Every structure is written in structure tokens, then in C-alpha cells.
Amino acid sequence: MEFEVELRADAKAKAGFKLWAVGAETEAGLSRGRTHRVSFTLTPKRPDGGDLLVSSAQERPEGPGDVSGRIPD
């Protein structure tokens, strides 16, 4: 999974005056940003904390496992 995060800092200054119907205004700004890429891998685990994906046949449990909560046919 991968996503990007942008951190941005903006600064703005504004000044002006008004006199009857005549006015003047000025504005200045500065913007700075950085983009960071974050990536990670999710690995599925069994409820007991073991690996869900078994790499060799020797690590596989024999039989169907715990069937105590199964509804009989």
C-alpha cells in the first residue's frame, strides 16, 4: 500500500487604505510545500499471531483444524 502526504505552509500579508471612493490595496504571499511518499506492506496473521501464509508443507497442520464451532451436517 502506498500513499502521498503533502505538508504545506502558507503565509500571507495584506495592507491597504480607503479614502472616500479611492482605495489601494496590496497583497503578498509565500507558499512552501513538501510531498512525502509513505509505503508499507500488510501481512495477514492468524488469531494466534502465526503466519497465515504457510511456506512449506511441513508447517501445515494436519486435518481440518478446530471444528468445535462448526454446525454438523
Side-chain angles (χ1 to χ4, degrees), residues 6-72:
E6 182 180 12
L7 301 175
R8 186 171 224 40
D10 293 324
K12 195 184 264 190
K14 189 174 183 180
F17 73 91
K18 286 187 180 181
L19 182 63
W20 289 290
V22 177
E25 188 174 284
T26 183
E27 183 175 299
L30 174 66
S31 178
R32 181 176 52 183
R34 287 188 168 179
T35 302
H36 300 274
R37 181 172 294 166
V38 180
S39 63
F40 54 91
T41 303
L42 300 175
T43 305
K45 297 283 186 179
R46 292 191 315 240
D48 65 359
D51 287 337
L52 185 63
L53 304 175
V54 180
S55 59
S56 71
Q58 294 174 345
E59 296 177 13
R60 292 186 187 135
E62 291 186 24
D66 181 19
V67 294
S68 60
R70 186 174 172 177
I71 300 173

